[in-house]
Amino acid sequence: MAKRRKRPFGRLWRALVLAVLAWAAVTVASVVAMRWIDPPATAFMLRDRAIALITAEKGYQFRHEWRDWDQISRYAALAVVAAEDQRFLQHNGFDFKQIDKALADRERGRRVRGASTISQQVAKNLFLWPGQSWFRKGLEAGITVLIELAWPKQRILEVHLNVAEFGRGTWGIQAASRRYFRKDAARLTRAEAALLAAVLPSPRRFRADAPSAYVRKRQAWIERQMVALGGKSYLAAID
């Protein structure tokens, strides 16, 4: 009798292990393929569209147009690095200095700043879901390692610029540029690129088409950081 009772649990366990292995294999294959193949959508995009459909959200419009690296203003690439991950070219997916600062701020009771790198954000946006659980963070870390091993830095930044959310239903630098400035991403100026980067921490709360005083202040700070990094010459190593 005991053996018969254990069989269903054994089957369930094997099925779970096989499912995890299958997911891992698909994820690894997808990451490797995306070094050359542009992702048509991301987990965050699909979730966004599904919620809008289920709730019948009025006025919702999905905007996304892929643009290759050479079709994107270098100011846009520089702006997101200056705003989100200034050690992007130096780290291997994780900025431990920023992580240490975030932990120290938490211990002192200060507002904790995000320590996610651009590579981590790409991993999350492509394959995962919003949230702060340790399980999700663990998956994010594993996918980040895969991305850093399989892709050059230029590809990571190119994908990030194409999948980041810049406003409700607006995904990628081209869609944002067309929506807010009526121009292609290749023609963005330094100020325009900095304004778009300024809303990235919270694109549902901050608006590029009606920037608050805080967003304008952040835009100016990003522009100063772009200069401090060396301007567009900062990207020479991956251009």
Side-chain angles (χ1 to χ4, degrees):
M1 293 291 292
K3 290 184 178 178
R4 290 181 182 176
R5 286 176 187 167
K6 289 180 180 179
R7 283 178 185 172
F9 294 103
R11 290 178 188 145
L12 181 61
W13 176 250
R14 285 194 295 272
L16 181 61
V17 171
L18 288 173
V20 170
L21 291 175
W23 178 86
V26 169
T27 302
V28 171
S30 298
V31 168
V32 172
M34 285 180 193
R35 173 168 180 164
W36 300 281
I37 300 172
D38 301 332
T42 69
F44 269 51
M45 289 181 196
L46 295 175
R47 177 180 178 275
D48 183 58
R49 298 191 76 175
I51 291 173
L53 181 63
I54 292 169
T55 60
E57 182 178 335
K58 293 183 179 180
Y60 176 82
Q61 183 178 351
F62 178 80
R63 301 175 176 89
H64 178 243
E65 297 178 63
W66 183 276
R67 283 297 182 271
D68 292 334
W69 177 256
D70 291 336
Q71 298 172 305
I72 299 172
S73 166
R74 293 299 177 268
Y75 285 126
L78 181 62
V80 297
V81 170
E84 301 185 289
D85 188 1
Q86 294 190 12
R87 288 174 48 80
F88 175 67
L89 296 185
Q90 285 75 50
H91 64 65
N92 293 314
F94 307 95
D95 189 342
F96 293 105
K97 288 187 176 181
Q98 288 301 318
I99 292 173
D100 288 342
K101 287 181 181 179
L103 292 174
D105 286 344
R106 178 176 293 176
E107 289 177 358
R108 293 170 185 149
R110 297 177 181 174
R111 184 174 65 89
V112 178
R113 295 174 296 174
S116 292
T117 64
I118 286 174
S119 303
Q120 288 175 276
Q121 292 179 53
V122 169
K124 178 183 68 176
N125 289 343
L126 284 176
F127 297 102
L128 302 174
W129 60 90
Q132 296 297 323
S133 71
W134 287 109
F135 176 68
R136 203 226 64 178
K137 283 290 186 181
L139 294 177
E140 178 187 297
I143 298 170
T144 298
V145 171
L146 285 174
I147 287 173
E148 283 281 342
L149 288 173
W151 301 359
K153 288 289 188 179
Q154 183 191 101
R155 180 59 171 172
I156 296 172
L157 192 50
E158 177 187 33
V159 172
H160 179 60
L161 286 163
N162 276 285
V163 304
E165 184 181 15
F166 290 92
R168 188 73 183 104
T170 302
W171 301 86
I173 195 70
Q174 172 66 8
S177 183
R178 294 299 306 171
R179 177 180 178 181
Y180 301 123
F181 303 116
R182 303 292 187 269
K183 61 169 68 172
D184 288 330
R187 297 175 53 218
L188 285 170
T189 66
R190 183 173 68 186
E192 290 166 345
L195 178 58
L196 292 180
V199 307
L200 284 177
S202 186
R204 303 288 178 91
R205 184 157 59 101
F206 303 140
R207 295 182 55 178
D209 55 346
S212 63
Y214 172 79
V215 171
R216 286 297 188 188
K217 183 178 178 180
R218 181 168 166 77
Q219 176 193 17
W221 177 84
I222 292 170
E223 288 192 68
R224 292 195 298 271
Q225 296 303 303
M226 291 166 73
V227 174
L229 285 172
K232 290 189 286 187
S233 63
Y234 172 84
L235 300 171
I238 62 171
D239 218 344

